[in-house]
Amino acid sequence: MSDTAAHPSQHPDENPGVRLREVLAQMPDYKPGKPAAAPAGVTAYKLSSNENPYGPLPSVLSAIDDAAASVNRYPDMAVTALTQRLAKALDVPAECLATGTGSVAVLAQIVNAACDAGDEVVFAWRSFEAYPIVTQLAGAKPVMVGLDERARHRLDAMFAAITDRTRVVLVCTPNNPTGPCVHQAELEAFLDKVPSDVIVVVDEAYVEFVRDPEAVRGLDVWRDRPNVVVLRTFSKAYGLAGLRVGYAVAHPPVAAALRKTATPFGVNSIAQAAAIASLDAFDELTERVETLVAERDRVVRALTDQGWKLPQSDANFVWFPLGADSTAFLQACEEAGLMVRQYGDDGVRVTIGEPEANSRLVEVAGRFGAR
Ligand SMILES: *Cc1c(COP(=O)(O)O)cnc(C)c1O
């Protein structure tokens, strides 16, 4: 080897670099939840990504094991068995279902199917961090509408933000990272006004944890409204975050468009098998969800007794609207071995995890002092 064959990167002046889309420079990087880490002698808990703290059920593990034996083959591209099983579980026609590699991917399929460059996507803020990223990647423009003082969606303001460039509205219920759900009556009133050619996505990633009797029932609003899409995931209550499978319930023309914008063979064969086994284990998984809901209620009661004023949570996390104190709270949590998620100067989101982790959160919050 002669040193005349030097790597081009040694001559940066002569190499302007490849051309990438300008929008990438404006986009924040997606920040994954930090892995668990703790001071010596302290058990660390990862409460930063709204994951289910329970590992897979034995029946789900055995389905994963069986499916692993045939990974030399491509998965069923049409995701037939899982689609049929979901259609039965949800009581919707199979042609109304579209799957993807997590509901984040299904959301991207929706935005890619609906938006041309310069079209607008309206959503609340703060809400799910993926919303602006998915929107901008599609070449569309995010239109972000602030939450109210109880950290709830302001559907009137979201309606006012709709223009003739609006193609999609995202309604996150319960809202990640703040916790409250949208109510059925307010969503219906909103949908009655929204132009029927605008897609309204009801993102129900946490629906299994909802206990508010007035909460949105996505499938009910979907049933007779052709522009509504319900987004669900196996990542949270079903505990399959690592396998990446989510789905949309949409009317047939929209569902067909979502299949066109999907990554071919995206939902892998192990994920398909595990999702089916999880639907078959619904009762056992429901028990775990009940335990997490009871833990959430225990944590919220304890924090309220300490004097904290938190927004309602109908999900598997609680939101501390700490403003400028957010970094100090994050540090207090990390010193106690709790990995939590800070959102700038807005607040800190903490996932409901193992009972010991939740109790430790209550201790840390008590020492920190209620706000
Ligand atoms: C976690 C989450 C999702 C789902 O993510 P997956 O891609 O299915 O793992 C979707 N929407 C919201 C609001 C979420 O918090």
Side-chain angles (χ1 to χ4, degrees):
M1 281 292 287
S2 92
D3 56 7
T4 54
H7 191 275
S9 66
Q10 292 177 7
H11 303 283
D13 296 346
E14 293 160 31
N15 287 279
V18 295
R19 245 233 253 285
L20 298 170
R21 288 172 63 200
E22 266 171 45
V23 69
L24 296 186
Q26 299 153 24
M27 285 173 41
D29 293 322
Y30 184 86
K31 293 184 204 66
K34 281 196 198 170
V42 178
T43 312
Y45 293 100
K46 183 166 182 271
L47 307 179
S48 52
S49 296
N50 294 346
E51 293 149 335
N52 196 314
Y54 299 106
L57 292 168
S59 62
V60 175
L61 261 187
S62 114
I64 288 172
D65 206 34
D66 291 349
S70 36
V71 293
N72 54 311
R73 303 293 177 189
Y74 279 105
D76 170 12
M77 182 161 153
V79 195
T80 316
L82 173 56
T83 303
Q84 297 296 339
R85 185 66 188 80
L86 267 175
K88 191 170 142 230
L90 301 172
D91 190 24
V92 303
E95 62 174 345
C96 294
L97 291 166
T99 52
T101 55
S103 57
V104 168
V106 183
L107 178 67
Q109 289 161 233
I110 296 170
V111 175
N112 284 325
C115 294
D116 280 315
D119 285 340
E120 295 170 358
V121 179
V122 173
F123 49 89
W125 199 252
R126 279 206 181 256
S127 192
F128 188 31
E129 274 179 298
Y131 292 167
I133 298 175
V134 162
T135 301
Q136 287 174 284
L137 268 184
K141 187 177 153 223
V143 176
M144 294 145 100
V145 177
L147 299 168
D148 74 9
E149 68 287 350
R150 287 181 297 158
R152 304 183 77 247
H153 281 52
R154 291 189 301 137
L155 290 177
D156 285 348
M158 290 174 71
F159 174 70
I162 294 175
T163 71
D164 54 10
R165 293 308 300 267
T166 306
R167 295 292 173 272
V168 182
V169 178
L170 307 176
V171 176
C172 189
T173 175
N175 189 48
N176 176 11
T178 63
C181 56
V182 172
H183 288 166
Q184 176 84 357
E186 57 182 348
L187 183 67
E188 281 177 346
F190 174 76
L191 291 169
D192 286 345
K193 298 187 295 184
V194 172
S196 59
D197 60 351
V198 173
I199 292 179
V200 178
V201 176
V202 181
D203 185 344
E204 291 193 318
Y206 302 95
V207 65
E208 295 86 355
F209 301 102
V210 172
R211 294 296 177 271
D212 182 339
E214 288 181 76
V216 162
R217 295 177 302 278
L219 292 178
D220 288 355
V221 289
W222 164 79
R223 220 165 278 278
D224 55 1
R225 296 182 194 261
N227 62 330
V228 170
V229 176
V230 174
L231 206 53
R232 299 262 184 98
T233 179
F234 284 93
S235 296
K236 309 286 163 54
Y238 283 90
L240 298 181
L243 282 176
R244 316 305 305 127
V245 44
Y247 60 93
V249 184
H251 288 275
V254 180
L258 303 188
R259 287 190 279 271
K260 283 189 187 171
T261 50
T263 302
F265 303 106
V267 182
N268 70 69
S269 41
I270 295 176
Q272 294 185 32
I276 292 169
S278 298
L279 290 167
D280 290 343
F282 178 79
D283 291 342
E284 279 170 281
L285 286 168
T286 300
E287 269 176 49
R288 292 174 161 196
V289 169
E290 286 302 334
T291 305
L292 290 170
V293 168
E295 278 293 292
R296 173 189 75 203
D297 294 348
R298 173 175 80 84
V299 168
V300 168
R301 260 196 315 276
L303 295 172
T304 306
D305 287 348
Q306 290 174 358
W308 285 91
K309 296 195 174 39
L310 305 177
Q312 176 185 339
S313 173
D314 265 282
N316 65 340
F317 53 83
V318 286
W319 171 248
F320 295 82
L322 282 159
D325 294 335
S326 300
T327 303
F329 188 71
L330 175 95
Q331 279 163 0
C333 288
E334 288 189 350
E335 279 160 20
L338 304 179
M339 299 302 113
V340 302
R341 180 73 149 268
Q342 180 183 358
Y343 291 81
D345 271 352
D346 281 2
V348 174
R349 186 194 71 194
V350 186
T351 306
I352 298 299
E354 298 82 346
E356 313 78 61
N358 305 332
S359 297
R360 200 180 297 166
L361 170 67
V362 170
E363 281 164 33
V364 172
R367 272 202 304 276
F368 191 81
R371 319 278 141 116

